[in-house]
Amino acid sequence: MKKLFFVFALVLVANLGSAQTKEAFKSDVLKVLKVTASSQMNMAKTQILKMIPAEKQAAFLVEFDASLPSYYDKVAEVYMQEYTHDDIKQMLKFYDSPIGKKMTQKGDALTEKVTAAAQEWGAGLQGIMMKYMQ
């Protein structure tokens, strides 16, 4: 009976340790996501906001911001399947470095400029596509 109790206790402790490790991993992934996805989220928010009447924008922003945690949770699960916890720790170390901080600070402006370049390229690509689709 004692052996069964010790085996059960060992399994329980192992599961608790695993759950804590997974939570630490997820917490680190969420930190990476907030650093890397904030500029895209801000840009999406700005673009959508232009389509919402001014008198409804404040309410929209509340709901938009409230929807982000579930989005980040889903994306975190994907990251946890593709990266190890050590990978994520290395990413965090990078984003804490001077160049990582610079990337983060310039994220909004960079995203806006890259989007404009992509739209321009896409417009030219449509002409090429039409040439071959006929």
Side-chain angles (χ1 to χ4, degrees):
M1 186 69 167
K2 283 183 182 180
K3 287 181 184 179
L4 183 62
F5 174 74
F6 285 122
V7 168
F8 178 73
L10 184 62
V11 169
L12 182 62
V13 168
N15 282 338
L16 288 174
S18 175
Q20 288 174 342
T21 301
K22 186 175 180 180
E23 283 304 311
F25 184 13
K26 187 171 185 177
S27 175
D28 286 344
V29 170
L30 290 171
K31 289 175 191 172
V32 167
L33 288 175
K34 287 182 181 164
V35 168
T36 59
S38 66
S39 63
Q40 289 108 354
M41 284 300 151
N42 287 337
M43 187 168 178
K45 187 190 304 186
T46 301
Q47 292 296 321
I48 296 168
L49 207 54
K50 292 176 184 176
M51 297 181 275
I52 309 256
E55 66 274 4
K56 295 181 180 179
Q57 289 181 358
F60 166 77
L61 289 174
V62 169
E63 287 193 50
F64 183 91
D65 291 341
S67 74
L68 289 177
S70 67
Y71 168 73
Y72 286 133
D73 279 344
K74 289 175 185 167
V75 176
E77 292 298 326
V78 173
Y79 270 57
M80 291 170 73
Q81 293 169 10
E82 298 297 326
Y83 296 107
T84 66
H85 195 178
D86 190 54
D87 293 335
I88 297 298
K89 287 178 181 179
Q90 293 298 318
M91 288 178 203
L92 286 171
K93 195 180 293 184
F94 169 75
Y95 286 114
D96 282 338
S97 73
I99 191 66
K101 289 178 181 179
K102 184 175 183 178
M103 279 183 63
T104 303
Q105 291 168 346
K106 300 206 175 264
D108 289 346
L110 191 61
T111 300
E112 189 175 312
K113 290 175 183 178
V114 168
T115 300
Q119 288 173 345
E120 185 179 323
W121 173 77
L125 185 60
Q126 285 181 340
I128 295 170
M129 289 169 49
M130 295 305 290
K131 178 176 148 182
Y132 289 97
M133 291 174 70
Q134 296 177 1

